Amino acid sequence: MRSHCLTLALAASAALLATPTLADVATARQQVEAGQLDAAEATLRTHLAEQPADSEALFLLARVHAWQGQPEQALPLYDRLLRDEPENADYLLGQGQALLWAGRPQAALEPLERAAAIAPDYAEVQQVIQQARAALTSPVTATAPIASAPAQRRHELELSARQDWLDNGFDDWRSQRLDYTSTQPEGLGWYGALLREQRFGEWDEGVEAGAVIALDENWTLQPEVGYQPSPYFLPEWHADLRLQRRLPAGFLGAASVRRTEYETTRVDRLALAAERYWGAWRAGYTLNITDVANAGTPIGHDLALDYFYDGLSYAGLRLTAGEEEAVEEQRLITSDVRAVSLQGRHWLDSRWALTWELGHHEQGDYYTRRWLQIGLRHAF
């Protein structure tokens, strides 16, 4: 009987000792749900001072730091958690999110891709991988993170030059661009460019500017404008508005409308696009329906396939078919088009990257154009 009573007493004592642990974490969760992140942090710190090895509390504290806009403080906690459970997909996802929100998307891909290998059907892992890749590959596809946490802003400058070789007696083309982008995964992004191009023995110069507005974690709005002050072959101006929606299973859908005004005509275009991210791959298709004033309604198709490696470095294939408008001297022409190109971006380290593109374009019977573009990109 005494032994039985002692067993009951020990069990009751253990329950009493465990109750504060459960109560503390439960209280912290309630505080998080109420938006009281500072209070949740205080609750968890007090609890961890007595129970430093409580992985559940450590995991919640790491996420609280990230949601408070302090992802750098979350990273040491994820390191501790992953030392004990290196194959925990939740911890790897949390570490990847914290790195992304700290402005380190390339570093974020390592734990995220490990998580994807461990749990290939984990939808949130695929979504954050998509965000990390989109953070640098294009301002168009940048989307908000899953949770509401401020991330550091990232700026990039790229200087590029391009040479196009034409046949059928046309002069070769040349162009130079200076592109600037500023991105923040859950915030406002913007971009702009200075450009100059030479065609038909004449130089045109212009500017472009746009913004990427995250309406929520799934919807993104992107307005863009371009202006050329004294164009010879480029348009006088263009305006574009794109609306994008992130969908389950790594899909994206987008629609955009664009008006381009030339000296002698106007071109309106509706573009409907779909993309899919999976593993190390991205595929995309765009249907372009163009209304050329007094010249019909050409329809074109664009296909894209990208392979990502070493974080955010990538190599991609582009295919174009259908009808397309082009400028010959100061005259706008529409003809059948077939084009193929290879492009990529290779990051030398976390701050410097080389960009490249080469391609072949057939503008009906008017000319065949081949091109090479090289650029140097710096992130800061």
Side-chain angles (χ1 to χ4, degrees):
M1 174 67 74
R2 179 174 295 178
S3 175
H4 180 65
C5 289
L6 180 59
T7 300
L8 290 175
L10 289 171
S13 298
L16 288 172
L17 288 172
T19 300
T21 298
L22 297 174
D24 288 343
V25 175
T27 298
R29 290 187 186 280
Q30 292 173 355
Q31 291 167 332
V32 168
E33 291 173 1
Q36 301 168 348
L37 297 179
D38 291 342
E41 179 188 357
T43 299
L44 292 166
R45 285 192 180 280
T46 300
H47 169 73
L48 287 166
E50 298 178 358
Q51 304 284 337
D54 187 341
S55 60
E56 185 178 0
L58 280 171
F59 184 32
L60 183 55
L61 180 59
R63 286 178 289 168
V64 166
H65 280 314
W67 295 331
Q68 287 175 312
Q70 302 167 347
E72 296 289 357
Q73 294 190 29
L75 294 173
L77 301 180
Y78 283 118
D79 289 339
R80 287 174 58 184
L81 291 164
L82 287 165
R83 276 197 296 268
D84 295 331
E85 297 183 60
E87 301 301 307
N88 188 308
D90 289 322
Y91 297 166
L92 291 166
L93 170 61
Q95 185 183 52
Q97 286 178 316
L99 287 165
L100 175 61
W101 298 343
R104 299 160 60 187
Q106 191 161 2
L109 283 172
E110 181 180 351
L112 291 171
E113 288 172 350
R114 284 173 55 199
I118 294 167
D121 297 326
Y122 200 156
E124 192 170 353
V125 170
Q126 295 298 331
Q127 290 175 348
V128 181
I129 287 175
Q130 173 185 324
Q131 292 169 0
R133 289 179 176 152
L136 288 181
T137 55
S138 171
V140 173
T141 54
T143 54
I146 304 298
S148 151
Q152 293 181 7
R153 182 165 292 278
R154 182 182 179 93
H155 307 274
E156 295 187 13
L157 277 174
E158 179 174 333
L159 181 63
S160 62
R162 172 168 165 158
Q163 177 76 34
D164 291 63
W165 295 272
L166 283 70
D167 62 7
N168 283 350
F170 287 96
D171 292 336
D172 295 339
W173 298 355
R174 289 188 293 169
S175 63
Q176 297 96 38
R177 291 180 62 97
L178 178 63
D179 287 272
Y180 165 72
T181 62
S182 177
T183 56
Q184 191 174 25
E186 84 289 358
L188 176 67
W190 57 84
Y191 59 94
L194 301 175
L195 58 97
R196 62 194 303 262
E197 297 190 23
Q198 183 187 45
R199 302 182 191 176
F200 319 113
E202 299 286 341
W203 282 97
D204 275 359
E205 298 176 344
V207 295
E208 296 176 356
V212 181
I213 306 165
L215 304 177
D216 59 24
E217 64 182 29
N218 290 316
W219 288 95
T220 303
L221 186 67
Q222 182 194 0
E224 178 184 298
V225 295
Y227 174 69
Q228 285 68 232
S230 300
Y232 180 76
F233 52 86
L234 291 178
E236 295 178 343
W237 59 267
H238 78 266
D240 190 285
L241 185 64
R242 174 187 171 104
L243 182 64
Q244 178 178 284
R245 164 77 162 143
R246 189 176 65 206
L247 302 168
F251 283 95
L252 290 175
S256 68
V257 290
R258 181 185 186 100
R259 169 159 290 185
T260 304
E261 191 77 26
Y262 291 89
E263 182 179 357
T264 57
T265 190
R266 184 183 68 242
V267 178
D268 294 320
R269 187 203 67 189
L270 170 66
L272 304 174
E275 298 180 28
R276 171 80 195 283
Y277 290 79
W278 77 99
W281 295 89
R282 169 194 168 271
Y285 167 74
T286 302
L287 172 66
N288 295 298
I289 305 172
T290 306
D291 179 28
V292 181
N294 303 318
T297 307
I299 295 177
H301 309 271
D302 295 324
L303 292 172
L305 182 65
D306 294 327
Y307 175 73
F308 294 88
Y309 64 95
D310 292 340
L312 286 172
S313 297
Y314 80 97
L317 172 69
R318 301 290 183 269
L319 299 173
T320 297
E323 293 181 304
E324 189 177 282
E325 70 280 357
V327 175
E328 179 189 350
E329 298 288 341
Q330 292 180 301
R331 183 167 59 94
L332 192 71
I333 61 173
T334 301
S335 62
D336 292 332
V337 166
R338 292 189 300 273
V340 58
S341 66
L342 295 172
Q343 61 178 242
R345 179 180 301 156
H346 181 75
W347 286 92
L348 305 172
D349 55 32
S350 62
R351 297 299 178 187
W352 292 94
L354 293 174
T355 62
W356 57 271
E357 182 177 356
L358 55 91
H360 176 94
H361 178 109
E362 297 179 5
Q363 189 74 41
D365 297 328
Y366 289 95
Y367 56 75
T368 295
R369 177 164 53 89
R370 298 176 179 86
W371 74 88
L372 173 65
Q373 179 172 319
I374 299 292
L376 181 65
R377 177 172 287 248
H378 177 58
F380 56 98

